[in-house]
Amino acid sequence: MIEFDGVSKSFWTGKQRKVILDRASFRVDLGNSLGILAPNGTGKTTLINMMAGLEKPDEGRITRTSKISFPLGYMGGVVARHTATENSRHIARLYGLDPDYVEAFSRWLCGLEEYFDMPVGTYSSGMRARFSFSLMLALDFDIYLIDEGMPATTDVEFNRKAGAVLRERLENTTIVVVSHQPETLEKFCKSAAVLKNGRIHMFDTLEEARQLYEYQTQG
């Protein structure tokens, strides 16, 4: 479970204060994958980072009672000068998992071949995205966080394999997706929310959330 209780978050842009959340309260329960619709520039990445504990609120409290993933695409903890082999084994030990399994799973899923034994700092953005996604799915989490704004990959074979693994994960885990496209949420979520003027509006169905979101973006 992830629960936001009266959480506020804002930034000073140099010209004005940008409000991400304004005393927002909501919760994500296990077994109920949630999609959050938010236009570009409204703080989608900040919101998902706060769920992961990578950013702190200005006010309010965030409670986590489950094992929560780092956001898809987040490379924190990965050392650029080390190879994917070294990084995957190091991360496995941090989470108390079998390094042989995590390395083998990541190597199989990301399909980087000989590049898996080269420094991550030499990777293209697409290669880094494939490695970080593979590493995230190799670890055991109750809630997986996906930020649409994270680097994507156009590798067809990887997308096929990763999509199959993600669908399998959905049977036993919970996914939170933040996106500006309702179509993205349809793949993962039944319930949805809309981030509007710093508030989170929760809905039982994606269609209800889509109606408010489209009215908001068209208005």
Side-chain angles (χ1 to χ4, degrees):
M1 180 270 289
I2 306 173
E3 184 172 20
F4 280 49
D5 183 11
V7 172
S8 295
K9 183 70 173 181
S10 63
F11 295 102
W12 177 251
T13 66
K15 295 182 178 180
Q16 61 181 355
R17 183 155 293 280
K18 180 182 179 63
V19 176
I20 307 300
L21 291 177
D22 180 17
R23 293 165 292 177
S25 296
F26 67 97
R27 61 184 288 167
V28 179
D29 291 311
L30 292 182
N32 183 29
S33 292
L34 174 69
I36 301 177
L37 287 168
N40 287 329
T42 56
K44 296 192 298 295
T45 297
T46 299
L47 176 59
I48 211 84
N49 284 347
M50 292 173 70
M51 290 184 180
L54 300 175
E55 295 193 37
K56 296 181 179 180
D58 298 333
E59 298 178 354
R61 183 175 68 250
I62 302 175
T63 303
R64 306 171 190 83
T65 60
S66 307
K67 291 182 290 183
I68 301 168
S69 79
F70 45 86
L72 168 60
Y74 176 70
M75 296 296 286
V78 174
V79 181
R81 69 177 181 274
H82 291 168
T83 66
T85 299
E86 293 166 332
N87 275 295
S88 60
R89 298 183 71 85
H90 173 66
I91 295 295
R93 294 186 184 96
L94 289 179
Y95 283 92
L97 300 174
D98 179 5
D100 290 339
Y101 167 77
V102 173
E103 179 195 341
F105 182 94
S106 299
R107 186 184 288 270
W108 165 77
L109 184 56
C110 68
L112 294 176
E113 303 298 340
E114 67 273 15
Y115 290 100
F116 203 85
D117 296 306
M118 295 178 63
V120 173
T122 65
Y123 291 2
S124 67
S125 60
M127 293 167 67
R128 288 194 297 270
R130 286 158 62 185
F131 174 57
S132 63
F133 196 5
S134 300
L135 187 57
M136 182 182 76
L137 291 179
L139 304 177
D140 182 24
F141 295 110
D142 298 316
I143 300 177
Y144 287 86
L145 303 176
I146 300 178
D147 174 11
E148 176 192 63
M150 295 299 180
T153 173
T154 57
D155 186 275
V156 175
E157 177 63 15
F158 172 78
N159 289 339
R160 183 190 66 79
K161 291 195 298 184
V165 172
L166 199 54
R167 285 190 293 273
E168 181 181 335
R169 288 286 195 277
L170 272 171
E171 298 178 3
N172 302 300
T173 61
T174 303
I175 292 178
V176 179
V177 186
V178 181
S179 174
H180 76 284
Q181 295 181 317
E183 295 75 17
T184 301
L185 307 189
E186 291 175 352
K187 303 174 184 177
F188 306 107
C189 310
K190 293 182 179 179
S191 63
V194 176
L195 176 60
K196 180 180 181 182
N197 298 326
R199 299 297 180 93
I200 296 286
H201 303 267
M202 304 289 289
F203 296 94
D204 292 330
T205 67
L206 175 57
E207 185 56 35
E208 291 175 293
R210 184 200 297 264
Q211 291 177 8
L212 174 61
Y213 179 71
E214 291 179 346
Y215 174 80
Q216 169 191 344
T217 54
Q218 292 171 4

